[in-house]
Amino acid sequence: GEEVAQTPKHLVRGEGQKAKLYCAPIKGHSYVFWYQQVLKNEFKFLISFQNENVFDETGMPKERFSAKCLPNSPCSLEIQATKLEDSAVYFCASSPGQGAGGYTFGSGTRLTVV
Amino acid sequence: GENVEQHPSTLSVQEGDSAVIKCTYSDSASNYFPWYKQELGKGPQLIIDIRSNVGEKKDQRIAVTLNKTAKHFSLHITETQPEDSAVYFCAARAAGYSTLTFGKGTMLLVSP
């Protein structure tokens, strides 16, 4: 399709629980990006993929965050043992290729950790 | 790495006025500069972009200008309308690199 589909739209987890977010990029886009947007609007880059391979993971808090993009499956971002500060909107975006222009963003998943 | 500064953080204008949002970037290797509009509860939407081989680009009421020497780029919205109210983000990306670095956003409020 021509949109980046993120599920679920909202997710509530108790502190210490696992959270898993999904992203289906636009068909034909080979790059996928995950960003975290906190209350002050700032976008924090987490990780990017080129097809199923990690391209840049410099933003990932590796101790609790992991992500995958497997063939023929939505990409996923998983947070083990969530903390209150993980509460944010997580956006996925895709692009056709390196240097190919802007991203197309999904509508985000709002994660609330209580 | 790249650092993008964006000003102002909030901007209030009357309908019909012009609005200007400014960004600076740190990495002289950056060559692609998009602008995104984010409405409440939605994902950012690309509204205009510019590459480093041009100085200005227009699309109806919006325009972007780029000064490579000063490492500045700006978004200009003319004849603002209430539906222009949103948060606007600038971003920059270096050549041969895929990750965008975003500014911290400008909340634009257009009053009728």
Side-chain angles (χ1 to χ4, degrees):
Chain A
E2 290 301 309
E3 64 173 24
V4 175
Q6 287 190 249
T7 56
K9 289 193 183 300
H10 302 280
L11 190 58
V12 180
R13 288 290 179 265
E15 213 174 352
Q17 291 186 318
K18 183 175 74 175
K20 195 164 186 179
L21 292 60
Y22 297 92
C23 167
I26 291 173
K27 193 174 181 180
H29 282 195
S30 54
Y31 282 82
V32 171
F33 307 85
W34 286 98
Y35 283 82
Q36 179 194 55
Q37 187 178 38
V38 293
L39 283 175
K40 289 187 175 181
N41 292 323
E42 188 172 348
F43 282 99
K44 180 189 172 187
F45 169 73
L46 295 175
I47 191 168
S48 63
F49 289 83
Q50 181 182 14
N51 297 312
E52 63 267 25
N53 304 306
V54 174
F55 189 77
D56 181 351
E57 57 182 346
T58 52
M60 279 290 265
K62 292 182 183 176
E63 60 276 9
R64 296 184 298 109
F65 285 59
S66 62
K68 294 179 185 177
C69 276
L70 300 176
N72 303 313
S73 296
C75 297
S76 63
L77 176 69
E78 189 168 331
I79 309 172
Q80 302 285 345
T82 52
K83 297 183 177 181
L84 295 177
E85 60 260 34
D86 298 331
S87 295
V89 182
Y90 291 82
F91 285 101
C92 172
S94 68
S95 74
Q98 191 172 354
Y103 302 164
T104 301
F105 279 86
S107 55
T109 293
R110 180 175 294 279
L111 172 65
T112 302
V113 181
V114 297
Chain B
E2 176 65 274
N3 183 47
V4 177
E5 298 286 338
Q6 183 171 347
H7 299 280
S9 56
T10 59
L11 179 59
S12 294
V13 299
Q14 292 290 318
E15 185 176 0
D17 288 350
S18 294
V20 180
I21 302 170
K22 298 182 179 182
C23 289
T24 60
Y25 60 98
S26 62
D27 188 348
S28 55
S30 288
N31 67 346
Y32 176 69
F33 307 93
W35 286 88
Y36 287 84
K37 176 183 181 183
Q38 186 178 23
E39 296 176 321
L40 195 62
K42 297 185 178 180
Q45 181 182 18
L46 179 67
I47 56 171
I48 196 167
D49 56 12
I50 191 167
R51 295 187 184 273
S52 58
N53 57 348
V54 299
E56 184 175 2
K57 183 176 177 181
K58 286 184 180 179
D59 183 2
Q60 300 182 346
R61 295 186 298 109
I62 59 173
V64 56
T65 58
L66 172 65
N67 182 329
K68 280 170 39 181
T69 304
K71 290 191 260 183
H72 288 172
F73 58 114
S74 300
L75 177 70
H76 304 254
I77 306 174
T78 59
E79 300 173 31
T80 53
Q81 301 167 3
E83 51 265 39
D84 294 329
S85 296
V87 181
Y88 291 80
F89 292 90
C90 62
R93 183 177 66 209
Y97 195 57
S98 62
T99 302
L100 286 174
T101 300
F102 287 85
K104 294 186 178 180
T106 296
M107 180 175 288
L108 174 64
L109 300 171
V110 181
S111 303

